[in-house]
Amino acid sequence: FMSAGGVRHSPIAAMMRPTVLAAMTTVVSAGGPCDIYDAAGNPCVAAHSVVRALYGSYSGSLYTVKRLSDNATKDIAVLAAGGFADAAAQDEFCGRSECVIQRIFDQSPKGNHLDLAPPGGAARHPDNGVNASRHKLVVGGHPVYGAYFEGGMGYRNDHTSGIATGDDPESMYMVTSGKHYNGGCCFDYGNAETDALDHGAGTMEAVYFGNSSGWGRGGDQGPWVMADLENGLWADKVRVGVNNTHLDSDFVTAMVKGKAGGFALKGGNAQEGSLKLMYEGERPEHYNPMKKQGAIILGIGGDNSDWAIGTFYEGVMASGYASDATDAAVQANIVAAGYGRSKADSETVLI
């Protein structure tokens, strides 16, 4: 099939094959996380990354940079199908001028691209774009740039296709940093209101990362993966999730899944190991049924609360409530991508 940008994807995604990883039987893919989701019957409906292709056959643009000296723009693509961002093209284009990320392309066929967020009910100004060159790192031996949010920055799409609404099931994750966060509202990626206003409990379902404790919190000092369900960040169905523990590695996989009557939280080190189940069970009181509206946000809350800081590398929203096996395969794919790793050795590399 063809993506919105005219990029061809494998018609059967990528075939998943059984293998042994860390003495555990799981499923991995030769492609990207969206090949895994697609093959499992949970097709990606949004796939955003500033560092790599999320399908093994994706060969299009990842994001657009805007050069502030003259407002010129350039799309930054992958170096090869299924590969990493062409950071050299960004460096050449931006030169000594500051560049910001203007758009993050959706690699899925749905075309749910993320642009700068408009004013909302909380922050009544348009959000700024992140400095495109602020955070350089190495992934899989390739120099790339992360999206480094410093407050007042955010992206949004209020007119989406294929995103869950109402009480429909969905699965999502983002790869973020366990070193760059705060307690401000709200470093989110996921499902939100379509008009940037707070419509009450259950009108959002997004993965949150940080150490906010004003609504709910984990069992220690954080930072935690929580679900932003609107008017509440939830680490559990109750206010304090004692089993939801901090995630402070350089790179963090943060995952949220939702279905009628329940939700799940998982998290782990994006460089190694498996995901920890932080919570799975009933929804909090007043959040059943859900009233999801189907917009997509990044770096902000549903009402454009833009006081959080954080780092975004990649994120996916998929249809349906993915299985544990699919979650494990996605985590294995993220680890295999090589966040902070050079090809030559296993040293962590942050430029």
Side-chain angles (χ1 to χ4, degrees):
F1 57 87
M2 303 291 288
S3 73
V7 179
R8 181 167 296 279
H9 298 273
S10 167
I12 58 171
M15 294 302 294
M16 296 190 296
R17 57 185 176 85
T19 187
V20 176
L21 179 67
M24 296 178 62
T25 301
T26 185
V27 178
V28 298
S29 170
C34 282
D35 296 310
I36 295 169
Y37 280 120
D38 285 5
N42 304 108
C44 287
V45 291
H48 303 103
S49 178
V50 293
V51 303
R52 67 167 181 148
L54 300 176
Y55 292 87
S57 57
Y58 185 78
S59 59
S61 296
L62 298 179
Y63 58 96
T64 301
V65 293
K66 178 180 179 181
R67 191 168 56 203
L68 297 186
S69 60
D70 60 1
N71 291 327
T73 61
K74 181 176 180 61
D75 293 345
I76 305 301
V78 292
L79 290 164
F84 298 92
D86 186 356
Q90 175 180 318
D91 291 340
E92 180 180 0
F93 175 76
C94 295
R96 295 182 177 273
S97 176
E98 181 178 341
C99 279
V100 298
I101 294 180
Q102 188 83 358
R103 163 177 278 194
I104 302 174
F105 287 96
D106 177 16
Q107 301 176 34
S108 87
K110 299 298 185 181
N112 292 318
H113 312 309
L114 294 174
D115 294 313
L116 297 179
R124 298 180 181 273
H125 53 257
D127 290 331
N128 296 317
V130 301
N131 183 327
S133 304
R134 175 69 173 80
H135 175 46
K136 196 170 190 177
L137 68 153
V138 170
V139 181
H142 296 271
V144 294
Y145 290 99
Y148 195 86
F149 290 74
E150 301 176 88
M153 302 172 175
Y155 298 84
R156 191 179 198 109
N157 186 334
D158 287 332
H159 305 285
T160 62
S161 173
I163 304 301
T165 57
D167 219 11
D168 291 343
E170 62 182 345
S171 303
M172 67 191 76
Y173 79 85
M174 70 171 166
V175 177
T176 183
S177 168
K179 306 298 186 185
H180 178 227
Y181 61 89
N182 68 1
C185 182
C186 290
F187 193 68
D188 289 349
Y189 172 71
N191 195 321
E193 297 95 336
T194 56
D195 59 3
L197 299 176
D198 182 345
H199 286 266
T203 54
M204 287 182 62
E205 186 167 67
V207 53
Y208 163 86
F209 189 77
N211 67 341
S212 173
S213 58
W215 293 284
R217 55 171 295 141
D220 51 25
Q221 296 305 305
W224 312 284
V225 55
M226 296 193 282
D228 189 341
L229 305 180
E230 190 55 282
N231 293 348
L233 298 173
W234 295 94
D236 196 303
K237 71 173 182 179
V238 294
R239 191 173 187 277
V240 178
V242 295
N243 295 319
N244 192 322
T245 53
H246 69 281
L247 297 165
D248 61 359
S249 55
D250 289 333
F251 304 96
V252 169
T253 305
M255 184 177 288
V256 170
K257 301 190 294 184
K259 61 182 179 181
F263 75 113
L265 302 167
K266 294 184 179 183
N269 188 335
Q271 291 182 299
E272 62 182 9
S274 57
L275 297 173
K276 177 187 175 182
L277 179 64
M278 303 295 188
Y279 173 77
E280 187 167 29
E282 297 177 351
R283 291 195 183 271
E285 188 179 4
H286 308 305
Y287 288 86
N288 190 26
M290 293 288 285
K291 310 172 191 69
K292 292 175 279 194
Q293 295 190 10
I296 305 174
I297 53 172
L298 172 60
I300 53 175
D303 59 0
N304 197 41
S305 298
D306 63 359
W307 303 289
I309 65 173
T311 309
F312 178 82
Y313 302 108
E314 66 178 73
V316 161
M317 299 176 69
S319 179
Y321 194 88
S323 69
D324 289 339
T326 300
D327 298 342
V330 169
Q331 168 68 358
N333 184 276
I334 293 167
V335 170
Y339 273 93
R341 308 295 190 189
S342 69
K343 287 183 177 179
D345 55 52
S346 60
E347 289 185 14
T348 298
V349 182
L350 295 171
I351 299 174

